[in-house]
Each structure stands twice: as structure tokens, then as C-alpha cells.
Amino acid sequence: MHVRRQELKILFFAVPLVLLALLFGLAVSRRPIGDFSDPDKPFYEGYYAGAPAKFEGGLLVVAWNLHYAEKLDQAIATLENVPELQDADVLLLQEMDIEGVETLAQRLHYNYVFYPAAFHRVRKEEYGNAILSKWPISHPAKILLPNWLPGWLQSRNAARATISVENTEFLVYSVHLDTVWMVPVWALTQGEFLVEEVGNENKFVILGGDFNTWNPSGIATLERRLSKVGLERLTKGTGYTFESSGMRLTLDHIFSGEVLEYQAGVFRDTDASDHYPVWADMVMSDAD
């Protein structure tokens, strides 16, 4: 009987320890590789756009999460051949690697800046956010988004750059928020942080990308907060932008301000990614 009690005591303490060890091992195995907290690097840039065309007052912006650039040739063909996306002035791309950004920029003749945000364990590549422009691009910056468990949860950032269109400068952001940014688990959510960042600027702003707004209240919150800094969701009413396993979600958006008029939409006749490209064709007011 004494031996039996000893065995039960051992099991009582050993089982939780084993479970804790398993959970710790799982956490370690999923821990992001690499430190992406440096505001200046890693960073890549390239210049392939050539001389810009004459500005006619309109700006076509496309935002697209390309799912690790798995089907890059299909994505390039879509951007080349679909009238709504063709010759976009600005591309805001997420989940890109440097090879994909460089290839796309060379083939479609764009200037670009690219900031990786994380290292993918399986693919052995750095992935992040890119801004590509037919116009001169300058003053690149990486906006580090809040992470309530740094070193354990995947880091997130927004790429920022200035696009010079003749005598007007536009401040452009390519954004990829966390899937749980809408859950208030830290004092300052990524969405709130982004609003504060944009609100501190006095230039014309274009903000686009994958915001991971997986429910309608998240979209409403984002719209309400960004409206306070003068930005409107140009892609409002265009419908779902993500489709997988029967789910249809509106995760991707383009915001801007001081637009005289615009058209916007989602192009869904492509399987280059589990996200669909969103676009906004804007007639700009005087941004000076």
C-alpha cells in the first residue's frame, strides 16, 4: 500500500510537469527565428521604373497579400493583364520574400522598398511588406507594431515610404496586422498604434494591406479610428477579400484622405493567393 501511494504521488507531480514540458517544447518549436526589432534592417530596395509618365491627376493603388509569393508568375500575369490592376501606380504587397519582390519589380518595372517582418521556419525565407511604385520612392521606414510577447510571437511591421508624383508627395504604408490585433490583450493594440502613427503625419496618406479584420466589428473599429485622422476606407462595400475552406472574410483594405472621387473593387478571378487584390483608382485633390 505504501508503494502504491508513492507511485500516485509521483504521478501527481510528474504528469503536470510532463504536460508543461510538452507545452514549452511546442512554444519553443514555434518561436520566431531572427530578430526583426531593428527599425533600420533588414531592408532592401531596387529601382526599375525608369522615367515616370506625366501625372494626369489619378492614382491607381493595388493592395495584395500574396501568400508567401507561392504563385508569383500567376500574380504577375494578373497584374499585367487585368484592366483594373494594369499599370498600377503603387503596389502594396504583403507576405513577400526578397526574390519575389525583386522579380516582380524587374518584370513590371517598379521601384521598391521592402522590409521583412519574420522568418518562416519551413520555407527558410524572410517575409514581409513591400511598397512598389512607378514614381520616385524615398524616405523608407519600418514601423514596428506592438508585440505583447516579443521574441515568442511573430513580429509585425508596416513599411512606409514617400512617393513623389511630380510636385506632390504621398506618404504610403503597406500594412500587415496580427490576426489577434482586435483582442485587447495589451494596452495599445496594433490598430490603435497605427492610427497614432498616421495621425502624426501632415502629408497626404495612402494606407493599404492585410489588416486581418476577421469580423465586422473590427472593420467598424478600424474605420472609426482612422476617420479621426482624416482617412476613409475607399474599398468599403467591395466585399470579401479572402477565401479559404468555405470562409469568406474582408481582411484587406485601402484607406486614404482628401480624394475628390474614386472607384474601388476586388478582383476575384485569380487563385494566385488565398487573398484577392483590392484596388482603388483615385482622383486626388491638391495635397500641398
Side-chain angles (χ1 to χ4, degrees), residues 60-65 79 84-85 88 90-94 207-211 233-236 238-242 249-255 263-268 270 275-281:
L60 175 59
V61 178
V62 174
W64 199 357
N65 179 326
L79 292 168
E84 298 95 324
L85 311 176
V90 178
L91 299 177
L92 306 176
L93 304 181
Q94 299 80 49
L207 181 73
D210 178 4
F211 292 82
R233 182 163 72 104
L234 304 186
T235 48
K236 184 174 184 176
T238 56
Y240 65 93
T241 67
F242 169 89
L249 304 172
T250 305
L251 305 180
D252 309 86
H253 314 279
I254 297 173
F255 290 83
Q263 292 183 315
V266 181
F267 181 76
R268 299 190 182 92
T270 176
H275 291 249
Y276 298 120
V278 297
W279 59 270
D281 196 357

Side-chain angles (χ1 to χ4, degrees), residues 34-282:
D35 181 7
F36 293 86
S37 62
D38 190 316
D40 299 317
K41 59 185 181 181
F43 168 69
Y44 303 90
E45 59 186 331
Y47 300 90
Y48 303 107
K54 179 176 174 56
F55 182 51
E56 301 291 344
L59 210 63
L60 175 59
V61 178
V62 174
W64 199 357
N65 179 326
L66 280 176
H67 196 259
Y68 304 114
E70 285 180 335
K71 299 179 180 179
L72 188 66
D73 287 338
Q74 288 177 242
I76 290 174
T78 300
L79 292 168
E80 280 182 313
N81 299 315
V82 175
E84 298 95 324
L85 311 176
Q86 235 171 21
D87 294 321
D89 294 280
V90 178
L91 299 177
L92 306 176
L93 304 181
Q94 299 80 49
E95 290 193 18
M96 293 296 292
D97 60 7
I98 181 54
E99 182 180 353
V101 175
E102 182 75 13
T103 299
L104 197 154
Q106 287 191 37
R107 286 174 57 177
L108 298 185
H109 309 294
Y110 282 95
N111 304 318
Y112 76 83
V113 297
F114 171 55
Y115 284 102
F119 185 88
H120 197 288
R121 285 178 173 273
V122 176
R123 301 169 191 272
K124 308 300 183 186
E125 292 283 353
E126 295 176 337
Y127 290 89
N129 306 313
I131 299 171
L132 294 87
S133 172
K134 293 288 188 182
W135 301 90
I137 190 168
S138 62
H139 301 95
K142 176 167 67 173
I143 310 304
L144 295 168
L145 299 174
N147 185 336
W148 71 281
L149 200 56
W152 294 92
L153 293 181
Q154 178 177 308
S155 61
R156 299 278 178 167
N157 69 43
R160 186 185 74 192
T162 297
I163 306 296
S164 299
V165 181
E166 292 188 349
N167 297 322
T168 302
E169 291 188 339
F170 302 94
L171 199 60
V172 180
Y173 293 81
S174 178
V175 178
H176 193 182
L177 300 188
D178 204 326
T179 53
V180 295
W181 77 267
M182 294 180 291
V183 180
V185 292
W186 54 78
L188 187 65
T189 71
Q190 291 180 355
E192 289 170 331
F193 183 90
L194 193 59
V195 170
E196 287 195 6
E197 160 69 25
V198 172
N200 288 330
E201 303 295 342
N202 55 14
K203 291 183 181 178
F204 189 97
V205 172
I206 298 170
L207 181 73
D210 178 4
F211 292 82
N212 270 311
T213 44
W214 37 263
N215 64 43
S217 66
I219 298 173
T221 298
L222 194 64
E223 285 183 327
R224 185 173 62 254
R225 289 175 178 166
L226 284 170
S227 70
K228 293 179 179 179
V229 292
L231 298 188
E232 175 185 358
R233 182 163 72 104
L234 304 186
T235 48
K236 184 174 184 176
T238 56
Y240 65 93
T241 67
F242 169 89
E243 189 170 13
S244 180
S245 303
M247 289 191 304
R248 291 178 172 179
L249 304 172
T250 305
L251 305 180
D252 309 86
H253 314 279
I254 297 173
F255 290 83
S256 191
E258 300 181 55
V259 179
L260 293 178
E261 59 183 75
Y262 64 90
Q263 292 183 315
V266 181
F267 181 76
R268 299 190 182 92
D269 190 16
T270 176
D271 64 352
S273 172
D274 51 0
H275 291 249
Y276 298 120
V278 297
W279 59 270
D281 196 357
M282 299 173 266

